[in-house]
Structure formats: structure tokens, C-alpha cells
Amino acid sequence: MGIRIIGTGAYVPPKNVSNYDLSLTLDTSDEWIRSHTGVGNRYITEDGMQCSDLAAESARNVLAKTGTSAKDIDLIIVATATSDYSGFPSTACLVQEKIGASSAGAFDLSAACTGFIYGLETAANFLRSKSSNRVLLIGSEVFSRILDWTDRSTCVLFGDGAGAVLIEITEDDSDMLFSVLRSKGEGSSYLYHGSGGTYRPAANEKPLRENIYMNGREVYNFAVNACIEIINELKKSSGLSQKDFKYIVPHQANAKILQAISKRSGIPVDVFYMNIEHYANTSAASIPIALNEMNEKGLLERGDILLTVGFGGGLTYGGNIIRW
Ligand code: ACO
């Protein structure tokens, strides 16, 4: 018995914003953004569309591609840091209603950009324990609503989007082989979204900070070390070596971070699947969007071994090994 990702889906909103577009209102340039981050474009959600709408579109996409009825889903997990509401209802509940998944439980998972990696291990354990037979795992983000669009050091980095996978128990040898999940709460002040929680309730005094705060240099240094630690730990616990992995599918935060990981670990850079140029950093959606793109391009064959790795606010970090 194993755990198999039987299909992938994705959705990005239609509005495309290039680096050049940003440079018209911000003191930045296509050259700076590309050379410091690898980002060329991002998609931005129009007014009236919410995180649950992007998530529901990505869900409909994977359901259509796999010929699955929403009524056959037992559990919906939405990994997000930008849910429709602060607290409740969960975005997963809103998705459940939107797609008509009448038999599904639903909850959100909060691990910022590492949310999809945490979600894969969570979904696998619901399946292994047999409390669910079919799990819909979605990463969905609308970071454009929590950015300060006058702060060039953060707003150029992020984009909106959603990616979804459908996961089932299988009789073949596909599996989620190993996961490593880690956190470093002592780094929580390096990356946060301060308003709307109990720390500074939005309805009372002026929020601590309405938009995302990021100490880019600290996050950069953390990210490189954290990803190398996870890759090494996944290799050690699985007994696999780098040549066994067809691709490393990393969280798409910054191409420079991935290049630094490649250089320090000795893993060739072309083993890392990268699409940050097109979407920017879509947080918990970045890995499922990448998996869907790889799937649609025919890059994934049954039996391929993939390694995911990522990091995010919390601070959280982790990775999974998947036999496709
Ligand atoms: N355009 C032009 N100049 C800029 C821009 C911009 N968009 N942004 C910053 N600069 C300037 C700065 O003002 C600074 O100018 P100064 O030297 O005159 O003061 C100069 O560029 C260098 O700034 P640094 O911040 O030192 O630039 P750095 O090379 O460190 O790159 C970056 C900044 C890209 C943010 C980098 O630190 C980084 O990638 N950090 C990690 C970010 C990350 O991955 N975040 C995702 C977290 S995941 C999650 O959970 C949300």
C-alpha cells in the first residue's frame, strides 16, 4: 500500500504584472529585480476575487483532469497565509461549499510558504490511518493584499496563485517516502503579518503593521542553511543519494537562494525545477503550481523520485520525498 498523487491542478488570476509595469510606479527596474531574485512577472488577483476563489479554481482543475467527483473527496486541506477571513471560517470550508464537496471535512494549515510541504505529510497520515481515502490538498495565496506596494524591498517578490493535488491510497509502489518538518520560532520576527490576530486585533488600535514585514537578509541566510539541512536529512533518512532524485522541487522564493544552495551543496542547479521567473513567490502555492506545470509538460513519469524543500514565516522549513 502506498500514497499516490493522482493528479495536479493550478490556477493563477488573469492579470499579469511585469517588472517593467512595477517600475512605472516604483523606484525599481527589471534589471534589479531579475538579478537579485530571478523574478520577471507575477499574477495579481482583481478586486472581488478571494483566496478561496483561486483555491476552488485549482480544485476544479484537478477534479476535471482526473475525472473525480467533488462528492468523493473526504478531506480538504488548504495551506495558506492569506485566508479570506482572519481566523474563521477557514478558506477550506469556503472551498468545500464552492466545489460541492458534500462529504468532506475541511481545515486550513498555517505554515506560511512551507504549508504545502507540511500539508503533504498531513494528508499522507490521514490516508495511512484510513480516516480518509481521498484528500484534496491546495496551496492558495493572495499576497498582493498584504503587501505594501510602496515598499520595493518586499512587493516585487510575491505573486498570487493556487495549486492543488489529489492524493489517494494506492496498491502500487507510489508513495510519500519521507518528510522532515522543522520550525524555528525564535526567528518569528524576521517575517510576519502583524494585524488581525490577538497580538494586535485589527478592530481596535492601529494594527502593529498592516502589511507583511520581512528582514530580507536574515530570511535569505536562514533559507540557504535550512534547505541544505533538509536536503541532507532527507537523503540520510531515506538512504537515497542525489542521483536518485529526478528533480528537486523547491519553494520558489528567490532564484539566488536556489543558486546558493546548489553551489554550497554541490547539487547541479538544473536539478532544481524553477519557474519563479513567471510567477514570483506564490508562498504555499509555489510547489503545487510547479508540480502541475511539470506534470503538464510531461516531465514526471511513474516511479520518478522527487524531493521538495522549502521555508517560510514562522519560521518553518521542511521537505518531502515523493515516489511519483
Ligand atoms: N529595486 C531596486 N533596488 C532595491 C529594491 C528593488 N526592488 N529592493 C531593494 N533595493 C535596494 C535597497 O534599497 C538597497 O539599496 P542601498 O544599498 O542604497 O541601501 C540595495 O537594493 C540592496 O538591498 P538589500 O536588501 O541588501 O538587497 P539584497 O541583495 O539582500 O536582496 C532580497 C534583497 C531580494 C529581498 C533578499 O534579501 C532576499 O531574497 N531575501 C529572502 C526573501 C525571501 O525569500 N522571502 C520569502 C520568504 S517566504 C514566506 O514565508 C513569505
Side-chain angles (χ1 to χ4, degrees), residues 97-164:
E97 194 268 330
K98 282 176 188 184
I99 64 173
S102 48
S103 303
F107 66 87
D108 286 0
L109 193 155
S110 171
C113 301
T114 324
F116 184 80
I117 288 169
Y118 271 61
L120 263 186
E121 179 61 14
T122 307
N125 285 316
F126 271 94
L127 293 163
R128 284 187 188 115
S129 72
K130 300 213 168 55
S131 67
S132 300
N133 291 318
R134 190 169 290 115
V135 180
L136 176 63
L137 170 62
I138 305 171
S140 184
E141 301 282 17
V142 184
F143 262 64
S144 61
R145 302 259 170 88
I146 62 165
L147 294 170
D148 176 352
W149 285 99
T150 64
D151 176 7
R152 65 180 183 175
S153 65
T154 53
C155 75
V156 303
L157 303 174
F158 295 95
D160 300 340

Side-chain angles (χ1 to χ4, degrees), residues 27-29 32-33 36-37 112-113 143 152-153 156-158 191 212 214 216-217 219-220 251 253-254 257 281 283 311-313:
D27 183 16
T28 190
S29 64
W32 192 97
I33 301 172
H36 286 73
T37 71
C113 301
F143 262 64
R152 65 180 183 175
S153 65
V156 303
L157 303 174
F158 295 95
L191 189 55
I212 189 172
M214 184 180 74
R217 189 48 61 98
V219 175
Y220 184 100
H251 167 45
N254 183 333
I257 291 176
N281 177 352
S283 185
F311 60 92

